[in-house]
Amino acid sequence: MSLLSKDSFQQIKRIFMSVPQGRKSQVSDTRIIYYRDSERNNSYGIKRVLPLLSDPTFDFEKPTVFYIHGLVNWCHPNAYIETAFDSSVATVVNAYVAHGGFNMLVLDWGNLAFGDYISALLNIKPVGNAAGKAVFKLLKRGLDIKGLHIVGHSMGAHVAAVVARYLKTRRYIVPRITALDAAYPGFYPPLQTVPVNPKDADFVDIIHTDGGWFGASTSIGHVDFWPNGGTANQPGCLPFTLPLTVENFCNHWRSWQYWAESVNGGNFIARKCNTYEGFRQGKCFGTAFMGLAATPELRGNYYLRTASQEPFALGESGATLRRRGYT
């Protein structure tokens, strides 16, 4: 991997943009995008989502995934800004489309992810509550709560929690929330919004890839997966990078890359351990699948190894201890 690429400064360039072109920094301009396939999608205003259910391709018999993109950076108030059309969303969407077994929805709150970090923190509750109201309308018109799975990356994981909390006030319990490297700065301890936690859904699973830096460093779900220890440096990421460049977020972004691969059938087998050192020493018991195949009875911490490039999943060998000199 080279130190820099043509996209290295993509996030830094966004520092000088107030909002995406054609958008307003208002909750009312938040949108839900329904992906009919990887090429075709329909966007619905957060307050006008019901026509989504009238799309002839929407299948009420399928479970529905609601993906929420993220925003996080504690080095600069603006530098990590994500939209619903970035590679993280495209990668996850394409994985679900290829799978074919889900209705794919994305919360596009990029209009409120452009701004300083504190403003984004203050926007989490309004955005999450507005999205919760939208999902509530869909549930009242026939969307099956039993098939709803909310997946959030970075700050989007905490937005997902607010969505679930709103639905709980309307007597709908979300079956599953998956947090992909849930944002750390401003949440541990919480400055404004209680971070995602096991009370938010029947099953809350977490994938940690940049713990203690951009991502949470402690166990925060029913089950927490810690690939390669859950911290930098993830295999294939540079040990030293220029701050705020795309390469600087490599570890943080591994979470959604692992997730997308799991949706595509990647076999991420993890072993239950008290610590990563215990995993390295073979002091572990039991295995489980990390990713889409994780099951709701799982509890505790699981560790695994991954490859340095796609495909990242190592199958059963990923759940073995790392001996000296073995990578």
Side-chain angles (χ1 to χ4, degrees):
M1 182 184 296
S2 61
L3 182 62
L4 294 175
S5 71
K6 62 181 179 65
D7 297 320
S8 291
F9 299 99
Q10 172 183 319
Q11 305 299 337
I12 296 176
K13 291 177 182 177
R14 293 179 176 180
I15 294 171
F16 306 102
M17 302 170 63
S18 56
V19 293
Q21 187 174 4
R23 302 294 295 277
K24 299 178 180 179
S25 57
Q26 301 171 356
V27 174
S28 59
D29 195 29
T30 305
R31 304 169 183 178
I32 291 180
I33 303 173
Y34 166 52
Y35 286 85
R36 306 174 75 179
D37 54 41
S38 58
E39 300 296 331
R40 299 179 300 164
N41 63 78
N42 290 335
S43 180
Y44 300 88
I46 198 72
K47 295 183 178 181
R48 299 178 179 84
V49 296
L50 288 180
L52 183 160
L53 299 178
S54 299
D55 191 297
T57 65
F58 192 91
D59 190 344
F60 286 90
E61 299 299 317
K62 290 181 179 180
T64 298
V65 62
F66 189 28
Y67 184 75
I68 304 177
H69 64 74
L71 176 155
V72 62
N73 177 44
W74 64 351
C75 300
H76 191 285
N78 271 16
Y80 179 21
I81 301 162
E82 194 168 36
T83 76
F85 302 96
D86 282 347
S87 59
S88 64
V89 179
T91 300
V92 173
V93 166
N94 289 339
Y96 276 100
V97 169
H99 184 288
F102 298 84
N103 298 308
M104 183 68 204
L105 306 181
V106 170
L107 178 64
D108 176 8
W109 66 296
N111 61 312
L112 296 173
F114 276 60
D116 65 84
Y117 193 81
I118 297 302
S119 294
L121 283 173
L122 296 176
N123 284 331
I124 284 182
K125 282 186 178 179
V127 168
N129 284 324
K133 292 177 183 178
V135 174
F136 174 67
K137 292 178 182 178
L138 298 177
L139 292 169
K140 293 290 286 184
R141 293 296 183 92
L143 184 69
D144 187 1
I145 185 65
K146 294 179 181 179
L148 181 62
H149 181 189
I150 307 178
V151 181
H153 171 241
S154 191
M155 194 177 281
H158 304 305
V159 177
V162 176
V163 172
R165 291 166 199 162
Y166 178 87
L167 293 177
K168 189 177 291 187
T169 67
R170 298 298 187 267
R171 299 184 180 181
Y172 284 100
I173 306 299
V174 173
R176 181 178 181 183
I177 291 176
T178 296
L180 306 178
D181 214 36
Y184 172 70
F187 296 95
Y188 303 95
L191 296 180
Q192 199 267 349
T193 303
V194 175
V196 62
N197 64 76
K199 297 180 181 179
D200 294 322
D202 286 337
F203 179 48
V204 178
D205 58 313
I206 316 292
I207 296 178
H208 300 266
T209 56
D210 199 19
W213 189 244
F214 292 129
S217 60
T218 58
S219 302
I220 58 175
H222 289 111
V223 61
D224 291 69
F225 292 95
W226 304 85
N228 311 296
T231 61
N233 286 318
Q234 292 293 311
C237 293
L238 293 171
F240 302 103
T241 61
L242 292 178
L244 310 185
T245 58
V246 166
E247 290 77 14
N248 190 222
F249 296 102
C250 179
N251 300 289
H252 191 46
W253 290 352
R254 276 289 192 262
S255 58
W256 52 259
Q257 292 173 322
Y258 296 158
W259 181 259
E261 187 173 317
S262 79
V263 173
N264 278 326
N267 197 17
F268 291 93
I269 299 178
R271 192 168 295 277
K272 189 172 185 179
C273 274
N274 293 324
T275 64
Y276 187 49
E277 187 59 31
F279 172 74
R280 291 169 63 92
Q281 295 176 2
K283 299 177 180 179
C284 305
F285 48 94
T287 60
F289 290 103
M290 180 187 80
L292 183 62
T295 50
E297 77 281 357
L298 294 176
R299 296 294 184 273
N301 295 292
Y302 285 77
Y303 295 85
L304 68 155
R305 295 184 301 109
T306 69
S308 60
Q309 59 186 3
E310 296 181 276
F312 295 108
L314 294 175
E316 292 184 3
S317 66
T320 60
L321 62 92
R322 184 187 297 230
R323 298 180 178 86
R324 186 174 298 175
Y326 179 76
T327 57

